[in-house]
């Protein structure tokens, strides 16, 4: 009856007591709680039993089980059998879909977790990676200066040897400055050609501070987040206040060179300038080298102080505006405010006519706080 019924050959595998016992146990479990008596199975009972068999994928091993299955078929129509088969198939498919979806979700979760882990590592090491790039680019710039110095020495030696020979041709010694580069120091010509915002180099022996100094016309913020190639770099560069003048023929009198730099936790730029808060550190690092495009200059530390960015209506000393000290009045105001605000002073003193160097970086001792080191030009 019906296309889903199976013949004896599908279930019989020869007589086996163990197989019969196996099937009887299954039949007993299936029919437990059902009142069968001597009557035949009802259609509802047959459907319930057949549904359990299909759902649990029960396989009978003997003729006893085969006959039981045939008795179920006899109490159902082909349509009922097909409906049960379809129901069980749909449920199995849903279960399979859930398993597949679970596997996919697990894979997605693993991928997302891996990406989050990688992103976390990158975020944690982002500062390190940026510092590696900053240090690498700084080292390349330093190498170009060294190469220029080596070329200068070699060229001078060659010219001197040529002069010592008795030749009619006279070769003029290589000069440190060149008319073609507006009297820029030879060691800086290459860097200036690469970026004309380059104005000099700041170096403090015995510290990490050894960086190029930039100045953008009318903009002290441009290099706060850019490197020498003008690419984004959170470390930025050291910045000379654009109001400063480095060409001697344009300087009208004494001035304060003000250089700004980020106080980076990793120590790059002015990240180690805060070491000057300790007088003992200052005593061991009194000398600061700031070479502009046009001259080599040495400075000695005079004082260190804590300050801040003032509101417009505040009547306080603004060191960052104290650039012009060409008049006695301006110098006196600068000198007196330095002494009154200093954390400490050194044996070096400033007098009217001195050129000073002010190094400024952020400090969290208060909102918009600043830490400042003041030095004077010597020699």
């Amino acid at each position: 009856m019906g296309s889903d019924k199976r013949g004896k050959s599908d279930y019989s595998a020869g007589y086996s007591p163990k197989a019969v016992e196996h099937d009887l146990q299954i039949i007993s479990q299936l029919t437990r709680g059902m009142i069968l008596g001597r009557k035949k199975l009802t259609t509802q009972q047959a459907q319930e039993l057949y549904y359990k068999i299909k759902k649990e994928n029960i396989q009978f091993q003997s003729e006893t089980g085969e006959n039981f299955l045939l008795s179920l078929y006899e109490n159902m129509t082909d349509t009922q059998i097909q409906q049960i088969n379809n129901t069980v198939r749909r449920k199995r498919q849903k279960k399979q879909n859930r398993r597949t979806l679970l596997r996919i979700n697990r894979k997605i979760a693993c991928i997302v977790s891996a990406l989050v882990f990688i992103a976390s590592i990158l975020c944690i090491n982002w500062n390190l990676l940026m510092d590696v790039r900053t240090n690498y680019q700084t080292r390349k710039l330093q190498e170009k200066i060294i190469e220029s110095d080596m070329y200068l020495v070699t060229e001078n030696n060659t010219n001197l040897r040529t002069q010592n020979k008795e030749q009619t041709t006279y070769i003029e010694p290589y000069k440190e400055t060149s008319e073609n580069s507006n009297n820029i120091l030879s060691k800086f010509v290459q860097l200036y050609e690469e970026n004309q915002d380059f104005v000099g180099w700041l170096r403090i022996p015995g510290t990490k501070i050894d960086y190029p100094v930039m100045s953008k016309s009318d903009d002290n913020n441009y290099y706060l987040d850019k490197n020498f190639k003008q690419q984004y770099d959170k470390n930025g560069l050291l910045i000379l206040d654009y109001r400063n003048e480095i060409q001697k023929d344009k300087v009208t009198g004494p001035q304060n060179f003000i250089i700004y730099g980020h106080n980076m936790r990793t120590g790059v730029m002015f990240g180690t300038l805060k070491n000057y808060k300790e007088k003992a550190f200052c005593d061991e690092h009194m000398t600061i080298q700031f070479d502009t495009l046009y001259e080599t200059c040495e400075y000695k530390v005079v004082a260190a102080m804590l300050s801040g960015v003032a509101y417009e209506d505040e009547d306080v000393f603004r060191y960052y505006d104290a650039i012009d000290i060409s008049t006695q009045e301006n110098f006196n105001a600068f000198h007196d405010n330095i002494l009154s605000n200093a954390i400490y002073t050194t044996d070096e003193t400033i007098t009217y006519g001195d050129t000073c160097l002010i190094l400024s970086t952020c400090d969290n001792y208060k909102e918009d706080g600043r830490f400042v080191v003041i030095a004077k030009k010597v020699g």
Side-chain angles (χ1 to χ4, degrees):
M1 177 180 178
S3 60
D4 199 63
K5 295 180 182 179
R6 303 178 182 179
K8 291 184 179 182
S9 60
D10 294 330
Y11 297 95
S12 299
Y15 177 76
S16 170
K18 289 185 178 181
V20 173
E21 182 179 359
H22 170 270
D23 289 352
L24 288 174
Q25 288 180 352
I26 291 177
I27 293 170
S28 176
Q29 292 174 357
L30 289 172
T31 58
R32 184 177 300 164
M34 288 187 176
I35 301 176
L36 300 179
R38 297 181 181 179
K39 296 182 180 180
K40 292 183 179 181
L41 290 169
T42 64
T43 298
Q44 182 178 352
Q45 289 174 329
Q47 289 177 331
E48 291 177 2
L49 293 170
Y50 182 69
Y51 175 77
K52 290 180 180 179
I53 292 171
K54 297 297 291 184
K55 179 182 178 183
E56 299 175 14
N57 197 25
I58 295 173
Q59 300 293 327
F60 292 109
Q61 301 177 1
S62 68
E63 187 175 352
T64 301
E66 175 188 324
N67 291 333
F68 178 74
L69 187 59
L70 289 174
S71 67
L72 299 181
Y73 289 149
E74 291 174 354
N75 286 276
M76 293 183 294
T77 63
D78 288 345
T79 301
Q80 291 171 336
I81 293 172
Q82 190 63 37
Q83 287 176 345
I84 293 173
N85 289 339
N86 291 338
T87 299
V88 172
R89 188 180 301 110
R90 284 195 299 271
K91 289 189 175 182
R92 285 180 179 173
Q93 187 62 47
K94 288 181 180 179
K95 188 175 182 180
Q96 183 63 33
N97 291 342
R98 286 196 296 270
R99 290 177 179 174
T100 302
L101 183 61
L102 181 60
R103 285 197 298 270
I104 294 174
N105 288 338
R106 285 176 178 172
K107 289 181 180 179
I108 293 174
C110 290
I111 293 173
V112 171
S113 298
L115 292 175
V116 170
F117 177 75
I118 293 172
S120 299
I121 295 298
L122 290 176
C123 288
I124 292 172
N125 292 283
W126 177 249
N127 289 339
L128 176 61
L129 293 174
M130 292 296 290
D131 288 350
V132 168
R133 187 178 75 161
T134 298
N135 292 333
Y136 172 78
Q137 291 178 342
T138 301
R139 187 166 61 253
K140 299 301 289 186
L141 296 176
Q142 291 168 343
E143 290 173 357
K144 291 179 181 179
I145 294 176
I146 293 173
E147 289 173 1
S148 297
D149 279 344
M150 291 178 64
Y151 175 80
L152 175 62
V153 172
T154 302
E155 188 71 14
N156 280 332
N157 290 337
T158 301
N159 290 333
L160 289 173
R161 286 195 301 269
T162 302
Q163 292 177 50
N164 291 332
K165 293 181 180 180
E166 294 182 0
Q167 296 180 348
T168 57
T169 304
Y170 174 74
I171 301 177
E172 185 178 355
Y174 187 88
K175 295 181 179 180
E176 191 180 40
T177 59
S178 170
E179 292 180 0
N180 295 330
S181 57
N182 296 321
N183 295 324
I184 293 176
L185 296 179
S186 297
K187 65 180 180 178
F188 289 150
V189 170
Q190 184 176 356
L191 297 188
Y192 181 74
E193 289 176 350
E194 292 181 12
N195 188 337
Q196 294 189 5
D197 292 334
F198 172 68
V199 294
W201 197 281
L202 181 74
R203 176 175 175 268
I204 303 181
T207 74
K208 292 183 178 180
I209 300 175
D210 192 359
Y211 298 107
V213 180
M214 316 300 288
S215 183
K216 189 75 170 178
S217 178
D218 298 326
D219 189 356
N220 283 336
N221 297 321
Y222 185 79
Y223 283 97
L224 287 177
D225 58 1
K226 291 180 180 63
N227 59 24
F228 193 83
K229 296 181 179 180
Q230 302 187 55
Q231 303 165 330
Y232 172 77
D233 189 333
K234 68 175 183 62
N235 293 319
L237 283 174
L238 301 185
I239 303 165
L240 177 68
D241 196 298
Y242 71 84
R243 295 169 293 180
N244 279 128
E245 182 55 65
I246 62 172
Q247 289 189 11
K248 289 184 176 181
D249 58 348
K250 294 183 179 180
V251 176
T252 58
Q255 64 177 320
N256 289 329
F257 288 112
I258 304 179
I259 298 178
Y260 310 97
H262 284 309
N263 180 8
M264 305 304 294
R265 293 181 179 178
T266 53
V268 299
M269 297 305 139
F270 277 167
T272 57
L273 189 67
K274 58 181 175 290
N275 292 336
Y276 275 96
K277 289 182 178 180
E278 300 296 330
K279 179 68 163 51
F281 180 87
C282 177
D283 291 339
E284 296 178 0
H285 302 84
M286 284 285 293
T287 302
I288 299 175
Q289 192 80 26
F290 175 44
D291 298 342
T292 69
L293 289 176
Y294 308 103
E295 63 176 338
T296 298
C297 304
E298 185 176 287
Y299 294 78
K300 294 291 185 180
V301 177
V302 174
M305 69 176 187
L306 290 170
S307 185
V309 178
Y311 294 106
E312 292 184 1
D313 57 350
E314 284 187 280
D315 184 18
V316 296
F317 171 55
R318 292 173 170 82
Y319 71 91
Y320 45 84
D321 285 333
I323 293 177
D324 180 10
I325 52 172
S326 59
T327 67
Q328 186 72 54
E329 181 182 0
N330 287 352
F331 171 79
N332 289 341
F334 171 70
H335 176 269
D336 294 344
N337 277 290
I338 292 299
L339 293 181
S340 61
N341 288 281
I343 299 174
Y344 62 81
T345 58
T346 69
D347 293 336
E348 297 289 336
T349 58
I350 54 176
T351 58
Y352 178 62
D354 284 338
T355 293
C356 294
L357 177 65
I358 299 175
L359 307 183
S360 173
T361 191
C362 295
D363 194 286
N364 60 7
Y365 85 98
K366 71 172 186 176
E367 185 178 0
D368 292 328
R370 297 292 187 271
F371 176 65
V372 182
V373 174
I374 301 96
K376 76 170 185 177
K377 186 178 177 180
V378 297

